[in-house]
Every structure is written in structure tokens, then in C-alpha cells.
Amino acid sequence: MTLVIISGLGVGVYAYITLEKELTEKLESKKFIVPTEFYAAPPTFYAHSLIQISEVERQLLRQNYRRRDYDQRILPGDYFIANREQCAARLQVGLNENQEACIGWVTLDTATADVDSSLQILVVQKDRLISQIFKGAPFVEMTEAHAEAPLLAQYIGNEPLMQKTVTLGEVPPMCLNAIMAIEDAQFLEHGGVSIKGIFRALVKNIAAGRRAQGGSTITQQLVKNYFLTSERTLKRKFQEFVMSILLESRFSKDQILETYLNVIYMGQNGAFQVRGYGSAARYYFGKEIADLNLSECSLMAAIVNSPGLYNPFRKPENAERRRHLVLEKMQGLQFISKDEADAADRLPLPGEPRTQASETAPYYLDAVRKQLLSQNINPEGLKIYTALDLEAQDVAQVSLRGHLDNLEKNNKYIKGLREKGNSLEGSVLVANNVTGLVSVVVGGRNYRMTQFNRAIDGHRQIGSIMKPFVYLTALLNQTPEGQPYTPITLLNDEKFNYKYEGQSWSPVNYGKQYFGQVPMFYALKNSLNAATAALGIAVGLGNVIDVTHTMGVTSELKSFPAMTLGAFEMYPKEVLQSYMTFANMGQKQKISFVRRALNSDGVEVFAHQINPEPTVDPAAVASLVGMMKQTVLSGTARSITLSGFQNPAAGKTGTTSDNKDAWFAGFTPYLTTVVWVGYDNNLPHRLTGSSGAVPVWTQFMKKIGTRFPADDFPWPENTKKVLLDQSTLESLNAFKENDPTEVELIFDAEKAPN
């Protein structure tokens, strides 16, 4: 018996020492949660783009900037708004009558945000055009200005969360009183475990015949949530009991309460967990924790018990009832008066916020992690400054989901597939042509529904997206007769059979309509299969493959004739990379989802480099881009122009022969955007690139592409614009009903017609 007692004591002492060591290590290192921090790209404002000053102010206020008068000293985190006369006085320059107002600011965190700390001022006209941008001291006119890089999310491993650490001094006393009143009224008195609380809860539960009240203290809640598993066993309860006492013996009440308030689960924002009071204050009220009033503090305390059950947006009656209980408890403990409680109880609950891109931003962050890992950089614990444009991501998310919803509602065939449980999916990728930074990654309709990132990991047949590579190969070579290929070189668009390796292959045009001899630009803009395939065979399939890889495609291509029509798979990011090379006139700038990354010591472990490399003759690429502009103006993507999008753009639709994949890859001088639509299980959807993908691209670019000036592409010096009139087009068999009566094309200056 004695041996049993001694043995039991030994086990108990060992368990105590083990638990004490584990607890101390975790607390002293403050590693309750060690998140990887992701920052979105700083909002960027461009000269000669449209903007509302109120929109700029809204973005600054979201980062808690302070408004000052125009003639005051503007410190980091300050901004001002001024009229024309005040702007002129501040800038010491003359402004014209059309320049109505200005807004200026100094960014907060220049050490890590990668943004200049100088005063930046936007001068805005009456028509909302940003006419001038000034920066520095003395002021220098610039082409763009940047606001703060906002903290987007934090991750523990692959688990997305929102967390903003706050000190106990930042939390209003009424918030502290509220949480103690409802969760642990004896918090300041007990030693980690409240025997009185456990007994009171036991009596209530017996009287109610169910679990009506818990007896855990705040200390116990902290221990069981962040040191122990969720299993309900006597062993775990014993560990919780011992570790709570240990916690109280090692750390002050202030330290325990501060930690609790920073790590407690407070709800869900899309795919992101809301952790702690700091992030919860922003999520539920759009405020900093220090600015909460009594009603808001009591609601926060109400939510803690069960964020799902007491969610003020989805279960307002439950939330109001629980808030009332918190106020009653506070009044009973004489933290507040009856009048204060009644006044707080009468205030309305907060309205649900519309958080930008919350449903799809995790797709972007997935791409970021995969990029860093591919470069042997472990993202865990890093501060990662991404290129994610929150507004653009949100617009892309809405554009894609809205179009897919519309198809499933109004397209009879797709509606039938939806009723059988098949969900139409899609992806959107967007990059800045100059920097190569990818600003948008929408990998599906909803990350919580499916985490498969179609934008990064979807390997799908590309169809006619391949055709520009065939035409570029031709523009770099000569015809069998020794003549240079140009946009008006005639091709045979006729049905033919091609025999290879004992097989026979015959390309078929969409609608089985053939046009005879047509110029190259006409065959490309109308996506004629027969003419394109014949051209690819004539210039050499191996040459087409080489050019395709040179432009940025990395997937394996096999030298089969169907390759010319895209009968193979690519990843959307390959399409983005290669089409961005088109947009840059053959200069290949490597894409990146990350601007820079810092480790916990502030040392830079990654920085994106803007270092484009030349690939092929820029004049040949310029000729191709001029042809691709016709796709948007009057070809398979003409709905873009008909919709009212007027900025110069070029692109190519893509439809696979079995109608399983619909693509559109299009670009302006500033942005390249790639859209894919299809089913994960490869069901045919009977959509084309024109009907499946172009509407998403159009809606997105009408909102985001118009931020930029409506400039034409920067054509290389050794090129020449040629305007073909109707008679010339008719002679080339390139004028049909509803076609434009004039077509502008780009030629190598040495190959241009007279």
C-alpha cells in the first residue's frame, strides 16, 4: 500500500514538473500563437485616373489615420483635405480653376511597409480626374502615390485568422469589467480555479437538468484552449486544474487577462478566424478597441461564450439577450448604474461589414506560400508583403461569382447540371505588366467550400489560347516562298487532312464554316482553326513549341498538330506569364505574388526584382499585339468593346473542342488578366471563351482597368502603324457584314506595305 502511495506521488510530482516546464516555456516565449503575417499591397493612386477624395479618405481612415488642417504639420499617420486655394498655398504652385481639391498624407510604417514617408498630395479635378501628384520636400511631381500596406491576415500553419495584439492598457475598463462580470466575477480573487464557481455551476446544472452554466475561470479557459486538446476526459480536466494553478503562480493577473483577450476565439469572417479583442473590435464595429463604448464592450463579452450562437449579424436576438445579461451582471456587481445599463441596452447592434475579398483572399495567400516554398523559403513566422490589391481581388471575386450564378440560373443546360449537384467553377489572375506583381488570385467561387486553387494548380486544356504563339512563330519566320509573314499574309482557311505517324488529323472550324483565303489578322481575331493549324504546320511544330516556351510557358508540349489549337494543358499562371510577355513587347518580367518578406529579426529574406529579359524580336511581338487588338475590337471578344470598355486592349478567347474549358486572356498596356471557367469533374458546359470567360474579364476591367490612363501600347521604334480601309479589307477577303470599315495594324517597319 505504501509503495502504491509513493508511486502515485512520484507520478504526480513528475506530471506537475512536466506541466510546469511546458507552461513556463510557452508563456515566457509568448508562443501561444506564432502567426505568419500577410500584408496586402498598399493602395496605389495614378495620375490621370479617376478617384473620389472620399474614397481615398476612407482607405486612410481604415488604417486609423488622423485628419489635420492643411496648414498644420503632417506627421506619419496624418492626412488633410483642402480646397483649391488651400492646396495652392500648401504646394506653393498655381492651380487652375478646374482643379477643385486635394488630399495629402504621410504613411505610418515606412520601416516595413516599403513605402516612402514623404508627404504625398493628390490634386483632383471637378471631373474626379487626378490631374497631378506631388511628393517630397521640396515637392516633386510624380506619376503615382501610395497609402499604407494593410495587414491582411495571419496564419498558423494553413489556418487563416485575423488577429491584432493589444495591450491591457488599450482595453477600456468597461470592457474588462464586462468580460469578468459574465465569465469570471472572482477573477481578481481566485488562484486559477474557483471552487465557489464550480459549486455554483454544479447546483445550477442539477436544478436545470442540463448543462446550464460552466464553472471554468478565465485562467482555465486560457489553459484548455491553448495548452490542451478538446478531449473531455478526467486526465485532461486534471491537467487543466493543475496548469491553471501553475499559471497563476508564475504570472500576474494582468498578464493572464491580456493574453486571454488576445487569443480568445471571437468568430469567423469568411475563411478567417477572428482571434482576440483587437481584431474583433475591428470586425464587429470597425473601430479600435480603445474606442468602444459600454454597449459594444458588453456585446464583445456576450460573444465570447459562443461566437456562433451570439453572432450579432446572424443571430441578433440571441446577441441582444446575451448582451442584456452581461449588462445585468455588470450592474449587479456595481460596475455600472441602472441608467447606464438601460442606455447601453437600447443601442442597436452593429450592421454587418462588407469585408473586401474575404471569401477568396486565402487563394492568394496559398499562392504566396507556394511561391516561397518553391524557392526554399519557409514562410512560417515571416512578415510577407504581398502584391494583393484588395479592391481588385474583391471586384474579381464578385465578377466571377456573379457570372457563374447568372449562368446557373439562366442557362438551361448549366442550370440542369447545377440541379444535379455540379457547381460551375472559375479562376481569375491579374498582374501588373511592368512589375510582374500579381495583384489578384481568385482560385474558385469560395475558399471555404473548396480549397483547390484553380488559378495556381488547375492544369486544363487551353484551346485557342494557344493560337497567338503560332502566329508569333510565323511573324518571326518566312513563308515557304521566302517572303516574311506579316499581319496581312494570306492563309488558307480550308478543310484539310494531315497525316503523321500513321494517323490522320483534320481540324474543324467552329460552326464548320470555312472562309477560303484570309489574312493572318482576320484568321486570329475570328479564331479560325483550319487556317491556324495549317500555319503551325507550315512554320514547324518544333518552332512553335520553342517560341511558346520562350514566352514563359513551362508545361511540356508535344509535337502533334493538334497542339497548334491548344489540345494540351497549361496552368493559368503560365498563360498569365506568357501573355504578359506579349503585353511587354517580348520583354519577359517574371511574375511574383510577393513584394518582399522579412524574418522575425527584420532581415529581408526575399525581394522581388524588376528585371525584364528580352526574348524575341519586339517588332514581331508588336505585330502580334496589333492583331490581338482586333480580337477585342471586332473578333471573338468584341463584346468587350460593345460593353463600353474603351481602353486599348488585346487578347484571345479560348474554347476547347469538347467545350469543357472556356478562357479569355487579355491585356492592356498596364494589366494582364486571365479568366478560366469550367467544371472540376471535366463535364462539358457548352460555353465558349466568348460566353464563359469574356463577361468576367469585361466586368472586372471596366472597374479596375479604367484606373489607368487610356494610353495605347508603347510600340517599338522599328514598327509602323498601317490603316487598312474598306476597299483594302475587301480585297483581302477580310470584310464581312458588321466588320469595321477601317483596321489599324502594326508592322515591322521594313515589312510594312507601301
Side-chain angles (χ1 to χ4, degrees), residues 383-576:
K383 287 182 181 291
I384 301 170
Y385 294 90
T386 76
L388 172 60
D389 182 326
L390 280 172
E391 182 188 2
Q393 178 83 12
D394 191 59
V395 171
Q397 169 183 301
V398 170
S399 300
L400 177 65
R401 186 181 299 170
H403 181 56
L404 299 182
D405 287 345
N406 181 60
L407 287 170
E408 290 183 336
K409 180 181 179 181
N410 297 313
N411 182 297
K412 186 177 180 181
Y413 178 74
I414 292 175
K415 181 179 180 181
L417 291 177
R418 185 72 183 100
E419 289 169 351
K420 294 178 181 177
N422 298 291
S423 179
L424 190 62
E425 277 292 353
S427 66
V428 183
L429 279 172
V430 184
N432 181 290
N433 297 336
V434 175
T435 65
L437 291 169
V438 181
S439 55
V440 169
V441 179
V442 176
R445 294 168 83 147
N446 188 311
Y447 187 82
R448 294 190 74 184
M449 290 172 58
T450 166
Q451 289 78 53
F452 178 59
N453 197 340
R454 296 156 192 83
I456 305 302
D457 302 318
H459 208 217
R460 306 289 299 215
Q461 280 207 3
I462 60 165
S464 298
I465 288 289
M466 179 62 191
K467 289 175 181 172
F469 301 99
V470 176
Y471 287 85
L472 178 58
T473 306
L475 290 164
L476 293 165
N477 288 279
Q478 294 184 334
T479 68
E481 295 75 32
Q483 297 299 313
Y485 281 102
T486 74
I488 58 173
T489 298
L490 294 176
L491 306 178
N492 288 321
D493 185 50
E494 298 171 345
K495 192 172 178 64
F496 70 93
N497 287 305
Y498 180 72
K499 297 187 184 299
Y500 70 102
E501 298 180 4
Q503 301 178 61
S504 180
W505 178 73
S506 180
V508 179
N509 278 357
Y510 185 75
K512 298 183 179 180
Q513 183 180 8
Y514 301 87
F515 294 85
Q517 279 203 327
V518 292
M520 288 211 325
F521 84 87
Y522 189 86
L524 180 58
K525 79 166 187 171
N526 290 304
S527 203
L528 303 181
N529 289 340
T532 304
L535 178 63
I537 292 167
V539 299
L541 299 179
N543 291 333
V544 173
I545 290 172
D546 289 343
V547 168
T548 305
H549 283 150
T550 300
M551 291 296 102
V553 172
T554 55
S555 287
E556 181 184 3
L557 307 181
K558 294 184 178 179
S559 188
F560 298 142
M563 175 269 295
T564 61
L565 305 182
F568 66 94
E569 293 80 24
M570 269 193 209
Y571 295 102
K573 64 179 180 178
E574 294 178 84
V575 179
L576 180 71

Side-chain angles (χ1 to χ4, degrees), residues 52-68:
Q52 294 271 20
I53 280 185
S54 59
E55 168 60 20
V56 181
E57 182 180 31
R58 186 176 64 82
Q59 298 207 40
L60 296 174
L61 289 173
R62 189 184 297 155
Q63 294 293 319
N64 300 301
Y65 275 59
R66 176 183 61 167
R67 183 165 178 171
R68 309 285 282 171

